[in-house]
Amino acid sequence: MTKKQNPIDTRARGIYVVSPSSAVADAKVLTRGVKRLEKMGFKVALDRETLAREQRFAGSDQARLGSLHRAAKQSLPIVMASRGGYGITRLLPHIDWRLMADTNKRFVGQSDFTAFNLALLAKTGLVSYAGPTVCYD
């Protein structure tokens, strides 16, 4: 299911934030990160589950999977992880990779998100980015 990515429209500077791994420990850190991105000229939208918590995770596996699928369907061109941590590997077998391939989104994150980056490449041939998250650990 290899798909060629089109260049991102640089005029559409927007970031959709998801939490596919560990829970955000401090909402103030997320808010500060969003404000920094906005000062850089990005429109930022948070997924409704960004601050969810179930044990150490940012919500149940089903909720975090739903966040990734919503991220693929929304209009902003960049999808960024709120933070790394642990838990995205539990989602990999359930991700709709065709949906991810058809999005033309740029996915960015680090730490645990690297598993998503590599799976996206293996399943779809698409490039994603090892890079910053909104929060730091």
Side-chain angles (χ1 to χ4, degrees):
M1 144 178 24
T2 302
K3 179 180 171 99
K4 184 178 179 190
Q5 265 175 315
N6 294 323
I8 196 165
D9 181 353
T10 56
R11 294 171 294 158
R13 293 175 50 99
I15 298 173
Y16 190 80
V17 179
V18 295
S19 295
S21 301
S22 295
V24 172
D26 185 350
K28 291 177 191 169
V29 174
L30 179 70
T31 300
R32 186 169 47 240
V34 167
K35 286 180 182 176
R36 285 182 181 155
L37 290 169
E38 289 172 342
K39 276 188 175 181
M40 294 167 57
F42 290 98
K43 175 185 174 187
V44 180
L46 301 178
D47 183 80
R48 66 180 181 236
E49 299 287 343
T50 304
L51 289 172
R53 180 179 210 89
E54 183 170 304
Q55 298 175 359
R56 69 193 289 184
F57 305 109
S60 67
D61 289 355
Q62 213 44 38
R64 291 180 292 120
L65 181 65
S67 293
L68 286 172
H69 290 159
R70 278 190 301 281
K73 294 174 183 174
Q74 56 77 42
S75 64
L76 298 177
I78 300 168
V79 177
M80 181 181 281
S82 63
R83 58 161 294 171
Y86 171 75
I88 202 166
T89 55
R90 297 163 50 130
L91 308 181
L92 296 179
H94 309 290
I95 292 173
D96 181 344
W97 295 108
R98 175 149 317 271
L99 175 64
M100 297 298 141
D102 291 343
T103 67
N104 201 34
K105 305 283 181 217
R106 298 302 189 267
F107 295 92
V108 62
Q110 49 86 16
S111 181
D112 188 51
F113 200 75
T114 304
F116 176 88
N117 293 1
L118 294 173
L120 184 68
L121 177 63
K123 297 281 190 178
T124 70
L126 294 182
V127 172
S128 58
Y129 300 96
T133 57
V134 180
C135 301
Y136 62 88
D137 293 330

